[in-house]
């Protein structure tokens, strides 16, 4: 039982609640404010969710989900973004929740696993400002091995989307290969 607007229950109600082990809470919010917050919270907690292999980072306030094969460099890319002042939401396993028909939220895990180095606690190493509890997913970057025979859209004119839980998110493929810096060879 929740009493809003700092109203206090009667002694008789408290006795009955105690007898039947019913919690009694008091909130300073109005009933409509309290109900709106409970509905919002339940919408997030009970939202349909999936878990995917990838990295979620906050870059200038935009949620970027980096996906690709294991070992392609997702965690290394995330660590470099963190070193440049952006924030980690989750590495390796990203839980995605569909909180509305247009919004997907990724939730946090503040550790990065780097091959040959081990597990890094980003929050302790780079500070509390380097991590974020949750982030809306605005863009998906798919890392893939560079193929010299593939025809890549270098200008980003093609609109591509990835669908998670029925919601579409803008997506771009980024071809990469190890040991090459600067421009790709033609």
């Amino acid at each position: 039982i929740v009493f809003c607007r700092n109203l206090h229950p009667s002694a008789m109600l408290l006795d009955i609640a105690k007898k039947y082990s019913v919690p009694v809470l008091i909130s300073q919010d109005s009933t409509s404010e309290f109900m709106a917050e409970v509905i919002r919270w339940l919408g997030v907690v009970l939202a349909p969710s999936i878990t995917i292999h990838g990295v979620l980072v906050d870059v200038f306030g935009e949620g970027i989900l980096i996906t690709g094969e294991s070992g392609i460099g997702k965690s290394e890319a995330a660590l470099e973004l963190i070193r440049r002042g952006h924030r980690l939401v989750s590495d390796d396993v990203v839980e995605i929740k569909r909180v509305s028909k247009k919004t997907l939220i990724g939730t946090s895990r503040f550790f990065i696993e780097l091959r040959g180095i081990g597990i890094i606690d980003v929050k302790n190493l780079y500070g509390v400002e380097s991590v974020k509890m949750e982030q809306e997913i605005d863009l998906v970057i798919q890392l893939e091995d560079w193929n010299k025979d593939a025809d890549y859209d270098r200008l980003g004119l093609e609109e591509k989307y990835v669908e998670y839980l029925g919601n579409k998110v803008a997506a771009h493929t980024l071809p990469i290969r190890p040991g090459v810096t600067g421009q790709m060879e033609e």
Side-chain angles (χ1 to χ4, degrees):
I1 300 173
V2 178
F3 285 82
C4 295
R5 296 187 292 134
N6 276 334
L7 296 175
H8 293 273
S10 67
M12 183 177 74
L13 186 130
L14 288 174
D15 290 340
I16 294 170
K18 189 174 186 177
K19 178 180 176 182
Y20 293 103
S21 299
V22 174
V24 177
L25 306 170
I26 298 172
S27 172
Q28 65 183 3
D29 294 339
S30 69
T31 303
S32 59
E33 289 171 339
F34 180 80
M35 289 301 298
E37 186 61 24
V38 167
I39 290 168
R40 184 205 64 77
W41 180 79
L42 285 173
V44 171
V45 171
L46 301 176
S49 66
I50 58 171
T51 302
I52 66 160
H53 180 71
V55 176
L56 181 58
V57 289
D58 173 343
V59 178
F60 297 119
E62 297 293 313
I64 299 179
L65 178 62
I66 304 170
T67 63
E69 294 295 319
S70 183
I72 198 154
K74 299 178 297 295
S75 297
E76 291 80 359
L79 186 59
E80 190 59 35
L81 288 166
I82 293 162
R83 288 183 50 210
R84 294 170 186 246
H86 304 290
R87 302 190 319 177
L88 174 70
V89 180
S90 187
D91 177 60
D92 195 33
V93 177
V94 180
E95 182 181 11
I96 299 174
K97 292 186 176 191
R98 182 178 184 250
V99 296
S100 77
K101 291 181 180 181
K102 294 184 179 181
T103 306
L104 296 171
I105 299 289
T107 57
S108 64
R109 289 176 41 144
F110 304 143
F111 298 95
I112 289 182
E113 182 180 357
L114 297 172
R115 291 183 194 281
I117 295 176
I119 296 174
I120 295 173
D121 183 345
V122 173
K123 187 175 180 181
N124 282 338
L125 189 61
Y126 291 98
V128 72
E129 286 295 315
S130 66
V131 295
K132 192 170 183 182
M133 292 298 294
E134 63 182 28
Q135 174 67 42
E136 183 174 341
I137 299 171
D138 301 299
L139 176 65
V140 175
I141 300 292
Q142 171 73 37
L143 300 181
E144 71 175 34
D145 284 321
W146 184 71
N147 178 352
K148 68 178 183 170
D149 297 325
D151 184 27
Y152 295 111
D153 176 22
R154 292 180 164 195
L155 301 177
L157 299 176
E158 296 178 28
E159 291 189 24
K160 295 180 184 175
Y161 296 91
V162 175
E163 190 172 312
Y164 296 110
L165 298 167
N167 288 18
K168 289 184 178 180
V169 181
H172 295 284
T173 300
L174 185 62
I176 61 172
R177 65 179 174 177
V180 178
T181 60
Q183 296 181 337
M184 291 188 299
E185 294 178 359
E186 295 287 346

